[in-house]
Amino acid sequence: MLSGIRTQPFQPGRGPLSPGSRAGLGAALALLALVSAMELADGSNAHYIALMVTAPLLAAALGSWRVVLGVGVLATAIGVSFALTEQPLSLVSAVNVTGVALATGIAGAVAAVRQRQSEKIAELSRLASVAQQAVLRPIGPQVGTLAVAARYISSTARAEIGGDLYEAMDTPYGVRMIIGDVRGKGLDAVRLASIVLGSYRHVAYERADLRAVVTDLDRAVARNVGDEDFVTAALVEERGGTLTIVNCGHPPPLLLRRGAVIPLEPPAPAPPLGFMPVVRPRVERLEPGDRLLLFTDGLGEARRDGEFFPTAERAWQLLGHGTVADGLASLETALVEWVHGRLDDDIALVLMEYTGPRSEVTAAVPSWEVGTAES
């Protein structure tokens, strides 16, 4: 979903053949060669012309209508040449040649319809990718005192869009990040994700307290969803080396520190956005080199043969090396190998590394957090 978009899309019928057209052409030519060899080996009257009708039909399954017509014309010409070897021309051979010509026309029409549908689907996929990219802006590689990287892993080769969301911003109250997951898929989910991110990008600069940010986001979600729709989310703030997390029904982030992996469970559970969550912040003191992984529940649900991907067990090995972008690339590779390339849900990943306080100024711990952070 985050792949680049070609500014000059391929024009059907121009340039080299597509892989599908090449495959259809190759299979059809191989079939024509086989039938011709059978006719030549038979040596008597033409008995196999009717089999040539399958060549344009086979090409129609994969190739463009131009390829189909080319194959059909060739098949008809070969059929005529074998039919003319009969003296006199038999009625059966004439009917067979006519059948090949009619099949060519039908197969060409079918291929044209299929090609138009494929082009429409490709255009819709391109527009969906544009919509997804408009929602999920690139973040990183540095946001305030944090090195940040994000990654979106689609569950399908068609890149079906979903409602996973993330953002990271350097605000007057420190670096703030959000990761969330909208219930459902498709354009409705993207619409709600865009509403959440649009609201977050505004209130993150306006509200000093993360709990007030949650309240504003909850109102925005409640105004735009049905009774059964919701958004899970985790909000993170780094300020002066203090990490504050509020969680609204979302998988807890993982803190990676000196080889250990620590799930940052909330002090008390809270429902997702849309259900008026009352959150209690969790506060941690960061050390230079600490990394924090934020993820959506597609990672927790990834499994093969009923066995879930061991995220916590392998997190440090996969995420603790190189840059944060390197870590996410390693995690994605290991995850795709684990599930043999078949994911049940999209996955959004954000990995941050605390590089230490700003040298020019050290931000104060928010007043409402005083006494909750570890010394």
Side-chain angles (χ1 to χ4, degrees):
M1 279 185 260
L2 301 180
S3 60
I5 300 171
R6 290 182 287 186
T7 57
Q8 296 180 343
F10 173 75
Q11 298 295 323
R14 302 178 183 177
L17 294 177
S18 67
S21 292
R22 289 197 297 270
L25 178 61
L29 292 178
L31 179 61
L32 289 178
L34 177 61
V35 174
S36 298
M38 292 168 58
E39 285 285 11
L40 293 173
D42 186 63
S44 58
N45 292 338
H47 293 143
Y48 305 107
I49 294 177
L51 294 178
M52 294 184 180
V53 75
T54 58
L57 296 176
L58 179 61
L62 298 171
S64 67
W65 64 269
R66 291 181 174 86
V67 169
V68 173
L69 291 183
V71 168
V73 169
L74 178 61
T76 303
I78 295 174
V80 169
S81 66
F82 281 119
L84 292 177
T85 61
E86 299 180 339
Q87 294 298 331
L89 177 64
S90 69
L91 178 60
V92 172
S93 294
V95 170
N96 288 339
V97 171
T98 303
V100 174
L102 290 175
T104 297
I106 295 172
V110 170
V113 171
R114 178 187 54 77
Q115 187 173 345
R116 283 198 298 269
Q117 291 176 338
S118 298
E119 290 167 0
K120 289 180 180 178
I121 293 173
E123 180 65 13
L124 289 175
S125 296
R126 189 184 72 86
L127 292 176
S129 297
V130 172
Q132 190 76 8
Q133 292 178 22
V135 173
L136 296 179
R137 303 184 304 191
I139 61 175
Q142 190 77 24
V143 182
T145 59
L146 305 179
V148 181
R151 211 169 186 91
Y152 198 109
I153 307 174
S154 176
S155 61
T156 66
R158 294 169 298 173
E160 180 179 325
I161 58 177
D164 292 17
L165 58 97
Y166 54 76
E167 181 61 285
M169 301 181 299
D170 192 7
T171 75
Y173 309 104
V175 177
R176 286 180 164 177
M177 294 182 289
I178 184 174
I179 191 163
D181 190 357
V182 177
R183 179 181 179 271
K185 287 183 176 292
L187 291 177
D188 286 342
V190 173
R191 179 187 63 83
L192 183 53
S194 68
I195 291 171
V196 173
L197 285 175
S199 299
Y200 177 76
R201 287 163 182 158
H202 173 70
V203 299
Y205 284 95
E206 302 296 327
R207 305 297 189 189
D209 191 327
L210 280 182
R211 291 171 292 191
V213 175
V214 169
T215 299
D216 289 344
L217 294 180
D218 179 67
R219 292 196 189 103
V221 170
R223 286 193 297 265
N224 291 277
V225 299
D227 294 337
E228 297 181 357
D229 295 327
F230 57 84
V231 181
T232 68
L235 285 74
V236 176
E237 176 186 285
E238 183 279 320
R239 189 176 186 184
T242 297
L243 183 71
T244 306
I245 303 172
V246 293
N247 196 313
C248 304
H250 200 78
L254 299 179
L255 176 63
L256 286 69
R257 173 178 292 168
R258 298 193 300 271
V261 179
I262 307 167
L264 299 183
E265 300 281 354
L273 299 174
F275 293 132
M276 296 184 292
V278 178
V279 295
R280 290 180 56 192
R282 173 161 182 166
V283 181
E284 299 283 338
R285 289 295 298 179
L286 291 174
E287 302 174 1
D290 282 354
R291 291 189 173 187
L292 186 73
L293 175 66
L294 310 174
F295 57 94
T296 54
D297 59 5
L299 180 60
E301 295 171 357
R303 58 187 179 273
R304 67 178 181 195
D305 302 326
E307 185 177 0
F308 290 95
F309 181 73
T311 303
E313 291 81 355
R314 300 185 61 182
W316 179 260
Q317 175 190 359
L318 296 171
L319 300 171
H321 69 93
T323 65
V324 286
D326 294 334
L328 286 187
S330 296
L331 176 59
E332 179 179 4
T333 299
L335 179 65
V336 172
E337 290 178 354
W338 178 272
V339 299
H340 304 302
R342 300 185 63 180
L343 291 167
D344 295 327
D345 194 7
D346 294 353
I347 301 172
L349 303 170
V350 178
L351 182 64
M352 54 143 275
E353 179 179 356
Y354 177 62
T355 56
R358 290 184 174 91
S359 58
E360 67 274 11
V361 61
T362 300
V365 175
S367 60
W368 61 275
E369 293 177 356
V370 172
T372 59
E374 296 178 5
S375 300

